[in-house]
Amino acid sequence: MPPSTKRLNNGLSVTTKVFVRSRNGGATKIVREHYLRDDVACYSKLCDQCEYSLETTPVLSHVPFSTAKLSKHYLILDTNTVLNAIDLLESSQALFDVIIPQTVLEEVRNRSYPIYTRLRGLSKADAKRLIVFHNEFCKNTFVARQKGETINDYNDRLIRKVCEYYNSHLSKYGVKAILLTDDKDNLRKCKDERVLALSLREYLSKLPNSEDLLDTLPSAQDDFQVAEFKYAEYYSQSRLIAGVKSSVLFQGPMNVSSYDIFEGTINLPSIFPKPILVRGRQNMNRATNGDLVVVELLPKSQWVAPSNDIVDESTLGNVDNEDNDLIISDQERRLLNKEARRAQMEEESKLQPSAKVVGVIRRRWRLFTGQLSPNTITSNTNTLNSCLITLSEKSMPAVRIKTRKANDLLNMRIVVAIDDWPGTSKHPEGHFVRTLGPIEDKDTEQEALLLEHDVEYRPFSKNVLDCLPKEGHEWVVPEDLSSDEQLKKRRDLRDKLVCSIDPPGCVDIDDALHARRLSNGNFEVGVHIADVTHFVKPATPLDQEGSSRSTSVYLVDKRIDMLPTLLGTDLCSLKPYVDRFSFSVIWELDEDANIINVDFMKSIIKSREAFSYQDAQDRIDDPSNKDELTQGMRSLLALSKKLKKKRMDAGALNLSSPEVKVHMDSETSDPGEVEIKKLLDTNSLVEEFMLLANISVARKIYDAFPQIAMLRRHAPPPSTNFEALNEMLHIRKGMTVSVENSKALSDSLDRCVDKNDEYFNTLVRIMATRCMMAAEYFVSGNFSYQEFKHYGLAADIYTHFTSPIRRYCDVLAHRQLAAAIGYEPLHPSQRDKTKMDLIVKNMNRRHRNAQFAGRASIEYYVGQVIKNTESSQEGYIIKVFTNGVVVLVPNFGVESLIKLEDMGDESSGLFDEKDFKLSFNDKIGNRRELHVFDKVTVYMKSVLNEMTGKRKAVFMLK
Amino acid sequence: MFKIALSPAERSYLHESLSCSSPIRPDARLYKQFRPLEATCSFLPGSNGSARIRMADGAECLASVKAKVVSLQLNNADATQQLQNLIEVDLDINGIRDDSNLSSTIASSLKGSLVKHVPLDKLRLTHRYAFKLFIDIVVLSHSSVYPLTLLSLATYMALKSTKLPLLTSTVDDREIEEQPMFSDDWESSIALFGDSSLSPPLLFVVAVVNDNIFIDPSPEEESVSENGICLTYANGKIISPLQTISLSPKDNTGINAAQILKAHALVKEIGPLVTKSLDEIVSDDSVKTIF
């Protein structure tokens, strides 16, 4: 029954679309009215028939691209071409004057949302001249679905119709529209219907720079005919949904072990107390780290213990299970679930409930950086080579790509995209995107690192920079404070003796302090925070950019700013000797640092001095300094010590991570030496008052906005996290840490002391830190007050307020506080809880990535330092495997794996799981035993990993 | 209910002419002839099936069939009961309360006969899931005492035009549960009565005057009839329920076997003709889409 079309008025007619929507198991017949217009513009600058409204102008060029082999043409892309060639589409090498039919845009959105947003971004950029043509609303290009036609065939027909239309519409201007499609069936139909169509490969090969272009194309399906492996097929969508719904299958993100790429865990806290284990290539079934997967429990006979082996791409062991075609009914599965829960509660068995992956809901495939594995190049000529790319992310498998330039790519850091993982291939298939530069090159590695952690490092765009004050660096605090209503609300605090204390060389000064003894014996203490929100107004491009970056990223020799430098290092930065806007928290504290009173205000301050921690310490320590500023700093120090004591008594944790600092040679900026960060009293001075300010502000904004206050929480760690550590401590040292509350943990950590080894306590703290939960931002409406608790700081409520230049949460907190004190109302977009939820999600992710990027940067530089200075160092064994140990070297803050084969005779290795002991015959035949927590001397040198191209510290046991 | 005020003389004349051995109906119809009617189907775009019947005298009835996926209670001993619950009939006659005796009697007898004549196996999707049919019938206006014929014609056509979305997921979910998935193409949906040997039942009301019987009695004929018989016809047979009904407030005499046999023969004769013409309307693909 073809739907009839009815004319409504001149240029507008209406028809109906009928389809079935199956959702949540139901089937609903949906009937939509579908309006057709005859005035949908073609967007060609050549065309003089189409009319444009005020906001729109034609985009497609007067003189479209042409080559010797192709006359002037526009391009129409089908969905698969867009999905496959999105990288090419974004590059400036090829594909100009592109028409994206609406049909394609919608299909792309359903297939991959990230690519959809990239495509939308392209349609806004001018360079590529890309337009979206609303073919389904255009009377000339709409066709009704035919009876029995599949949706794919129908969409193809709609797209062919667009091509047909453009060719007839533009025929008199001598421009052709070429449809690019890789669908064989579609190409055949195009031929039948005399529609001009080419496959993407055919098209690119007609271009002058085809060699380079063809390489960046994703692998065509029939290119690879390797059938080296057979993975189990994924279950059908309907089975996955029903299974998850009735709790016989489980859905969660795959967490691949960084030691063994064939071991992953799925965390299902609401169902199982411990993560479910997925082990072995066959059971992992093509799931990669971070993918959202659906798993099914294996029968009890196939449960395994977590691996004690180290498996990476270089030591691919064969840990596959034999095929099993057992059919287990849902009924039996429910019993199995109970069994699994019980097994997790009981402690005796090392066997853990194990599962296999039966479906992947969503891939977490982004662009990856990696390096070509030289041994996978089959021929030396520049023919099409299939080779493996080892990715920088350790928990990802190597990716197979096809390239003609294999030899050029050797020793290069390259970016690849993963396209697919067919069930017959051992490796996912991808394609080459671009080269970053030679391996080990500083800039290359830095860019790779930023890419790898999804850090936005491109310069700020023009419309972001347009939001900055026009005066630029000339901007000053206005002389006349009564000129403006908002300005009148600011408190003039320029008479206060304010100073800032920061790490040496700090240019983005977020915070400054002052203290003064009051006549009643109490202290007036002020914390002044850069008033970023004066410059970053909500819902501006600047604000959006800040929100999407969420945090500044600190690498060893580079800082990726959240806000443009003008703000960060000048206008907002609380530089000494100049007037600056600030947001101040002023307390009245008594002798014992109890809060008598607190006040929040927007203010103007003038910092007297910017100290480094060391300078401040020296100034305080020198008794000859008797000026008021120094006196104030002494009061601050005294108060901060009391604050710290109170916090510690309440159970705040003193955790540790092996933090090191890399000193750079100032001339060559080569890393010179590594130093462990020293903590001075003044460090904790600043820290204590920042904590106090954060807590005070958190209370205030929660009071004012109980639903949308931006807060930060740190959940108590589940005791299971500490099990492994506790077992090691108990067996090796006869100690335990208790985790009932932070106080107990703090105290028990204090008790973990080895008289013979000073460092042991720090080591335990480092390991305990790794067992903790990560702190996270949240919107207050999502948790109950009890859950606001910050475990590490032992605070009942907490937020981030004190670093708005480098963290976006602080910006939000500033706005909320400004609204809470009646300075200016909250922007509507910041009052919407769902929007805030999205912002928070992004903030947490960016924050984590920034931390990882920072650590990776240090790791890289430490590797460079070790390269220059090979030496023997003291280290501690922190993990024992059947075939190796992990050693941490505190002096460099690095840890590395020493494989058994490098220490001695591999066959003599004896692993005692209960005792965390690995015994073996070393190279000269002596029996050696290694335990966890053992202090060992290792010879450190830096070795370039052939597989990943990463320089890493490699230890040799002495 | 519509009262025709006929004078005693008119009543007597009408009764006489209908009682003759070759009766003459006031509108000159044959005893087995329907008044003209107008029928369309599939006119409600959101329904799985729908129909609309209008009589010449303005009586009008709409019927709509909607299908919804329901999960079946497993391990339930009374499986047949569950299957019977897959059909729900909701009847709304203009001017009569929903909970009135008449409405609920008609609805339940309609449901009873539908359960036997709708291919329930077609409603069954998998072991765990089935379509449930919601049949809504609205009689907008009517002139007869029992608008049964009218609404059964509409229901017949609505059911005949009913299409069910095509299941694309597996059918066997006895051991391994699956969520039903359907083809998004409405055109590929399956007709409920497509290749079925079953056919929805039709209810015919005949008026009895003396020894004569008349199909589709007009209000005037009803008012002089002695009795009414309601017969159910399906698949070439007269089936239960067969019941007598009172079409006029007076003169209710007993009914005799000959009259029933006559009515039986009449419906058996015209049944195939009625279903054939209705089926033709259903299979006629020209949609009447309303905007």
Side-chain angles (χ1 to χ4, degrees):
Chain A
M1 294 190 289
S4 59
T5 307
K6 188 181 173 189
R7 188 173 163 280
L8 291 181
N9 59 31
N10 193 19
L12 189 66
S13 50
V14 64
T15 178
T16 44
K17 273 185 163 180
V18 186
F19 56 95
V20 179
R21 177 188 288 160
S22 46
R23 188 173 288 172
N24 298 332
T28 324
K29 181 183 177 190
I30 309 275
V31 181
R32 289 268 161 79
E33 290 192 347
H34 186 80
Y35 292 84
L36 299 173
R37 314 174 61 103
D38 64 359
D39 59 349
V40 178
C42 70
Y43 286 99
S44 167
K45 285 183 179 165
L46 288 166
C47 170
D48 49 13
Q49 300 159 19
C50 295
E51 286 171 18
Y52 296 89
S53 63
L54 284 174
E55 309 91 71
T56 55
T57 46
V59 174
L60 301 172
S61 159
H62 282 293
V63 195
F65 188 72
S66 62
T67 68
K69 291 174 189 162
L70 288 164
S71 61
K72 288 193 281 182
H73 61 272
Y74 295 148
L75 295 171
I76 297 170
L77 269 52
D78 84 345
T79 312
N80 279 320
T81 314
V82 172
L83 293 174
N84 289 337
I86 184 73
D87 299 319
L88 197 58
L89 208 52
E90 279 177 341
S91 83
S92 52
Q93 293 173 294
L95 307 182
F96 296 97
D97 296 310
V98 180
I99 300 157
I100 303 289
Q102 163 199 20
T103 316
V104 171
L105 190 72
E106 274 162 21
E107 252 191 307
V108 167
R109 184 170 61 180
N110 291 337
R111 298 270 291 275
S112 160
Y113 197 77
I115 293 184
Y116 168 76
T117 44
R118 285 163 77 183
L119 195 60
R120 291 307 297 240
L122 275 174
S123 69
K124 289 196 186 84
D126 300 331
K128 296 291 289 191
R129 305 191 296 275
L130 181 139
I131 61 141
V132 174
F133 179 69
H134 289 266
N135 61 317
E136 289 179 40
F137 298 134
C138 175
K139 207 176 170 204
N140 296 314
T141 51
F142 177 76
V143 283
R145 188 170 171 176
Q146 283 168 356
K147 192 165 184 171
E149 194 173 33
T150 67
I151 191 74
N152 285 336
D153 286 346
Y154 174 53
N155 285 340
D156 284 347
R157 199 154 57 86
L158 279 167
I159 296 163
R160 287 199 300 277
K161 186 80 187 166
V162 174
C163 191
E164 218 178 285
Y165 168 71
Y166 265 90
N167 277 321
S168 69
H169 187 68
L170 298 172
S171 58
K172 60 176 166 183
Y173 310 105
V175 173
K176 285 188 173 136
I178 303 176
L179 174 63
L180 296 187
T181 175
D182 286 333
D183 186 299
K184 292 214 174 72
D185 191 45
N186 199 9
L187 281 170
R188 192 182 49 74
K189 282 181 186 156
C190 285
K191 215 172 158 192
D192 293 348
E193 294 168 22
R194 301 178 174 279
V195 173
L196 196 51
L198 289 173
S199 80
L200 188 57
R201 261 164 215 284
E202 277 169 350
Y203 175 73
L204 292 181
S205 59
K206 288 182 200 280
L207 300 183
N209 50 346
S210 60
E211 282 280 291
D212 290 349
L213 294 174
L214 282 173
D215 239 27
T216 60
L217 275 192
S219 44
Q221 283 304 329
D222 47 346
D223 269 7
F224 295 103
Q225 271 151 355
V226 275
E228 52 188 2
F229 208 72
K230 185 88 185 90
Y231 283 105
E233 269 183 40
Y234 292 142
Y235 286 178
S236 71
Q237 195 71 10
S238 53
R239 168 64 184 149
L240 293 179
I241 295 171
V244 170
K245 211 161 112 191
S246 58
S247 296
V248 290
L249 304 180
F250 306 103
Q251 179 178 324
M254 170 62 79
N255 211 337
V256 178
S257 154
S258 51
Y259 291 112
D260 179 353
I261 63 159
F262 292 126
E263 179 175 314
T265 50
I266 314 274
N267 227 335
L268 301 158
S270 55
I271 306 158
F272 297 106
K274 281 190 207 170
I276 294 289
L277 196 65
V278 181
R279 228 185 114 189
R281 188 194 280 276
Q282 196 61 267
N283 288 337
M284 288 287 282
N285 199 359
R286 293 170 279 162
T288 57
N289 196 18
D291 290 348
L292 188 62
V293 297
V294 175
V295 294
E296 173 182 270
L297 281 183
L298 290 169
K300 204 175 174 187
S301 57
Q302 290 176 29
W303 290 0
V304 288
S307 140
N308 280 309
D309 299 329
I310 302 146
V311 180
D312 55 33
E313 277 294 339
S314 54
T315 57
L316 277 186
N318 200 4
V319 282
D320 301 332
N321 302 42
E322 71 277 27
D323 265 37
N324 39 69
D325 285 345
L326 242 68
I327 290 177
I328 305 179
S329 78
D330 284 356
Q331 202 62 35
E332 292 166 297
R333 293 217 161 273
R334 292 203 177 86
L335 292 175
L336 196 61
N337 292 348
K338 271 188 211 148
E339 190 95 26
R341 252 183 304 250
R342 198 166 55 231
Q344 288 194 334
M345 306 300 251
E346 290 165 5
E347 295 300 321
E348 315 111 43
S349 164
K350 277 282 172 190
L351 291 185
Q352 283 190 10
S354 311
K356 68 172 180 190
V357 174
V358 293
V360 175
I361 304 288
R362 196 166 52 242
R363 292 285 190 187
R364 205 215 51 166
W365 287 347
R366 50 186 173 89
L367 292 180
F368 291 93
T369 64
Q371 189 221 5
L372 199 98
S373 312
N375 48 347
T376 61
I377 304 182
T378 42
S379 64
N380 283 322
T381 51
N382 274 4
T383 52
L384 208 55
N385 255 312
S386 150
C387 41
L388 287 180
I389 305 292
T390 311
L391 302 184
S392 311
E393 192 177 327
K394 267 191 291 181
S395 41
M396 290 293 290
V399 177
R400 177 180 285 122
I401 67 164
K402 276 221 145 166
T403 176
R404 278 169 219 278
K405 301 186 293 185
N407 289 315
D408 303 343
L409 297 181
L410 262 183
N411 296 319
M412 288 295 208
R413 176 76 59 213
I414 61 171
V415 180
V416 292
I418 305 183
D419 304 321
D420 189 21
W421 193 339
T424 51
S425 166
K426 270 191 179 174
H427 295 279
E429 287 165 5
H431 66 274
F432 166 78
V433 178
R434 65 192 165 104
T435 310
L436 293 175
I439 281 166
E440 285 251 303
D441 176 74
K442 193 155 66 68
D443 294 333
T444 307
E445 295 302 336
Q446 204 158 62
E447 195 178 349
L449 199 147
L450 293 172
L451 258 175
E452 203 53 31
H453 294 94
D454 198 16
V455 175
E456 175 62 78
Y457 59 93
R458 282 178 295 193
F460 289 96
S461 68
K462 186 173 167 300
N463 56 354
V464 169
L465 296 176
D466 283 347
C467 302
L468 299 176
K470 294 191 180 44
E471 300 89 341
H473 288 284
E474 307 301 313
W475 180 91
V476 285
V477 170
E479 298 274 319
D480 178 11
L481 296 185
S482 57
S483 60
D484 179 286
E485 276 307 305
Q486 286 304 91
L487 210 51
K488 269 192 234 164
K489 292 187 196 163
R490 280 189 189 267
R491 190 95 63 88
D492 189 351
L493 299 177
R494 280 177 287 194
D495 55 328
K496 308 278 184 205
L497 293 173
V498 172
C499 67
S500 61
I501 307 175
D502 286 287
C506 179
V507 283
D508 45 352
I509 303 172
D510 282 306
D511 50 80
L513 298 134
H514 87 270
R516 184 168 69 96
R517 187 133 207 166
L518 296 171
S519 50
N520 62 2
N522 288 345
F523 292 92
E524 175 197 274
V525 177
V527 164
H528 313 277
I529 307 298
D531 191 7
V532 171
T533 51
H534 178 76
F535 299 97
V536 183
K537 296 292 180 204
T540 57
L542 177 60
D543 183 50
Q544 278 156 12
E545 184 70 24
S547 162
S548 91
R549 294 191 180 208
S550 278
T551 174
S552 293
V553 180
Y554 290 83
L555 305 184
V556 171
D557 59 344
K558 194 177 169 133
R559 192 185 68 230
I560 314 293
D561 287 321
M562 178 179 89
L563 297 171
T565 340
L566 175 66
L567 292 184
T569 61
D570 190 359
L571 304 193
C572 292
S573 176
L574 301 177
K575 296 200 295 187
Y577 327 125
V578 286
D579 293 352
R580 282 288 176 252
F581 281 157
S582 76
F583 209 147
S584 302
V585 183
I586 296 186
W587 298 276
E588 187 182 339
L589 299 180
D590 67 10
E591 199 71 47
D592 296 320
N594 295 313
I595 299 173
I596 308 294
N597 198 1
V598 58
D599 201 4
F600 307 94
M601 71 211 73
K602 290 263 188 173
S603 60
I604 304 169
I605 59 157
K606 183 172 184 175
S607 170
R608 297 297 190 267
E609 198 64 65
F611 294 109
S612 71
Y613 290 121
Q614 191 63 52
D615 292 346
Q617 190 71 48
D618 293 347
R619 183 151 178 163
I620 292 170
D621 291 347
D622 184 354
S624 66
N625 287 326
K626 292 219 160 51
D627 58 298
E628 254 186 280
L629 182 59
T630 318
Q631 293 296 355
M633 285 160 69
R634 285 189 187 126
S635 312
L636 286 172
L637 187 62
L639 288 168
S640 76
K641 285 183 174 159
K642 285 170 190 153
L643 284 170
K644 181 161 187 180
K645 178 156 189 318
K646 269 200 261 182
R647 218 160 48 79
M648 288 302 163
D649 290 347
L653 296 178
N654 182 7
L655 295 169
S656 198
S657 57
E659 270 193 81
V660 293
K661 187 165 170 46
V662 181
H663 282 281
M664 311 288 281
D665 189 304
S666 49
E667 273 195 309
T668 57
S669 73
D670 278 341
E673 53 178 316
V674 178
E675 168 191 71
I676 297 177
K677 276 190 188 167
K678 262 195 289 183
L679 290 179
L680 299 167
D681 276 352
T682 42
N683 283 64
S684 94
L685 181 163
V686 175
E687 192 188 337
E688 288 307 323
F689 284 105
M690 293 309 131
L691 292 177
L692 193 65
N694 285 336
I695 293 170
S696 295
V697 170
R699 277 193 221 295
K700 180 77 182 172
I701 58 176
Y702 175 59
D703 204 34
F705 303 104
Q707 279 302 305
I708 50 154
M710 267 311 308
L711 301 175
R712 188 169 171 83
R713 67 192 280 269
H714 183 205
S719 59
T720 48
N721 283 13
F722 280 90
E723 268 171 19
L725 175 62
N726 247 336
E727 207 175 327
M728 286 193 237
L729 275 174
H730 181 69
I731 288 167
R732 297 296 314 151
K733 298 278 181 180
M735 302 171 184
T736 50
V737 292
S738 70
V739 286
E740 292 108 64
N741 53 49
S742 58
K743 178 82 181 137
L745 178 60
S746 172
D747 292 347
S748 61
L749 282 175
D750 288 342
R751 283 194 301 271
C752 289
V753 183
D754 187 340
K755 281 190 205 73
N756 306 320
D757 192 348
E758 249 179 68
Y759 188 73
F760 177 70
N761 185 259
T762 315
L763 184 72
V764 174
R765 283 179 199 278
I766 290 172
M767 292 171 78
T769 307
R770 295 182 182 175
C771 302
M772 303 295 280
M773 304 288 283
E776 59 176 1
Y777 296 112
F778 69 103
V779 179
S780 56
N782 287 350
F783 289 91
S784 70
Y785 187 81
Q786 284 73 31
E787 293 168 305
F788 289 5
K789 227 171 126 45
H790 196 293
Y791 184 81
L793 297 173
D796 58 340
I797 188 167
Y798 190 68
T799 188
H800 271 166
F801 171 74
T802 53
S803 305
I805 296 178
R806 58 187 177 87
R807 288 188 308 228
Y808 191 71
C809 171
D810 306 55
V811 174
L812 295 172
H814 274 231
R815 291 196 185 127
Q816 292 181 342
L817 184 62
I821 61 169
Y823 178 77
E824 61 188 352
L826 213 52
H827 189 271
S829 70
Q830 316 252 296
R831 264 179 282 169
D832 183 343
K833 185 161 166 298
T834 31
K835 274 191 192 141
M836 294 295 273
D837 283 341
L838 288 176
I839 293 175
V840 162
K841 210 172 150 197
N842 182 50
M843 269 192 331
N844 281 324
R845 193 169 66 89
R846 297 283 172 183
H847 211 75
R848 214 162 36 237
N849 283 347
Q851 276 177 351
F852 289 149
R855 271 182 226 156
S857 168
I858 289 173
E859 190 181 305
Y860 167 74
Y861 278 101
V862 168
Q864 295 295 314
V865 172
I866 298 169
K867 182 169 84 176
N868 303 334
T869 52
E870 295 188 358
S871 61
S872 288
Q873 294 286 347
E874 245 169 38
Y876 292 86
I877 295 177
I878 57 170
K879 207 168 164 72
V880 183
F881 291 101
T882 52
N883 53 355
V885 291
V886 178
V887 178
L888 172 84
V889 174
N891 277 350
F892 286 86
V894 289
E895 57 183 81
S896 177
L897 185 73
I898 310 181
K899 285 187 193 161
L900 182 56
E901 59 194 54
D902 299 328
M903 296 188 285
D905 181 8
E906 212 175 342
S907 58
S908 68
L910 200 69
F911 174 65
D912 183 349
E913 206 176 338
K914 285 250 159 62
D915 215 13
F916 302 101
K917 181 173 81 177
L918 180 65
S919 49
F920 58 95
N921 297 329
D922 68 9
K923 295 255 154 98
I924 41 173
N926 295 333
R927 193 77 186 160
R928 272 196 79 158
E929 287 187 355
L930 294 177
H931 297 95
V932 77
F933 296 132
D934 277 359
K935 187 169 169 181
V936 290
T937 310
V938 290
Y939 182 72
M940 275 176 44
K941 65 175 182 181
S942 159
V943 170
L944 188 67
N945 185 330
E946 279 290 305
M947 296 296 291
T948 62
K950 267 194 175 172
R951 186 169 288 281
K952 271 199 69 176
V954 168
F955 302 165
M956 311 280 276
L957 201 63
K958 275 216 162 167
Chain B
M1 259 170 280
F2 198 66
K3 285 272 188 297
I4 311 272
L6 292 177
S7 67
E10 286 167 328
R11 289 180 55 82
S12 158
Y13 173 77
L14 191 53
H15 188 256
E16 283 292 312
S17 58
L18 292 176
S19 308
C20 304
S21 55
S22 53
I24 303 160
R25 299 177 77 167
D27 47 8
R29 281 187 286 158
L30 291 177
Y31 71 101
K32 58 180 180 186
Q33 198 174 5
F34 273 84
R35 285 169 291 179
L37 57 83
E38 184 192 331
T40 49
C41 71
S42 305
F43 76 105
L44 289 176
S47 298
N48 292 59
S50 58
R52 173 180 173 193
I53 303 248
R54 268 190 294 197
M55 307 293 268
D57 65 354
E60 182 169 0
C61 177
L62 310 182
S64 146
V65 180
K66 281 206 154 203
K68 187 186 169 196
V69 181
V70 292
S71 65
L72 297 171
Q73 238 67 73
L74 293 170
N75 312 327
N76 194 329
D78 198 4
T80 41
Q81 180 63 39
Q82 266 197 47
L83 286 180
Q84 285 177 4
N85 285 337
L86 291 179
I87 292 179
E88 192 83 35
V89 177
D90 190 79
L91 179 63
D92 185 0
I93 301 173
N94 190 19
I96 299 178
R97 282 172 56 137
D98 284 358
D99 56 355
S100 70
N101 226 347
L102 179 70
S103 264
S104 48
T105 319
I106 296 178
S108 75
S109 72
L110 201 55
K111 182 184 167 180
S113 57
L114 284 176
V115 163
K116 290 193 205 103
H117 290 92
V118 167
L120 291 173
D121 54 315
K122 277 236 172 118
L123 296 179
R124 185 87 183 239
L125 286 165
T126 65
H127 183 66
R128 289 160 195 269
Y129 293 97
F131 276 122
K132 180 168 184 168
L133 294 184
F134 292 87
I135 305 172
D136 293 289
I137 306 161
V138 187
V139 180
L140 291 176
S141 64
H142 68 98
S143 48
S144 76
V145 182
Y146 279 99
L148 273 176
T149 314
L150 180 65
L151 64 87
S152 104
L153 289 177
T155 311
Y156 177 91
M157 281 179 62
L159 279 168
K160 272 290 206 180
S161 66
T162 294
K163 286 164 123 197
L164 300 171
L166 176 68
L167 185 76
T168 50
S169 52
T170 18
V171 178
D172 179 22
D173 60 355
R174 186 177 297 266
E175 295 296 333
I176 312 281
E177 198 172 321
E178 288 203 21
Q179 178 156 300
M181 297 274 204
F182 298 88
S183 160
D184 68 332
D185 186 6
W186 175 251
E187 291 298 321
S188 65
S189 53
I190 299 167
L192 176 61
F193 284 95
D195 50 0
S196 172
S197 57
L198 294 174
S199 162
L202 278 169
L203 298 174
F204 292 101
V205 172
V206 294
V208 182
V209 182
N210 231 344
D211 279 338
N212 292 331
I213 49 157
F214 301 94
I215 196 78
D216 188 26
S218 67
E220 296 85 355
E221 289 166 341
E222 280 181 356
S223 72
V224 298
S225 67
E226 285 123 29
N227 246 317
I229 306 174
C230 173
L231 300 102
T232 313
Y233 169 87
N235 295 356
K237 283 192 297 234
I238 307 295
I239 54 162
S240 65
L242 182 150
Q243 60 188 123
T244 60
I245 47 180
S246 162
L247 294 175
S248 64
K250 48 180 282 192
D251 292 347
N252 276 342
T253 55
I255 202 155
N256 61 42
Q259 289 166 335
I260 295 177
L261 284 174
K262 249 185 162 171
H264 190 279
L266 168 64
V267 171
K268 207 163 177 181
E269 184 193 344
I270 61 161
L273 300 170
V274 172
T275 49
K276 187 167 166 260
S277 53
L278 290 178
D279 287 350
E280 263 167 22
I281 298 171
V282 171
S283 59
D284 180 9
D285 246 7
S286 59
V287 252
K288 283 99 189 169
T289 324
I290 50 169
F291 289 105

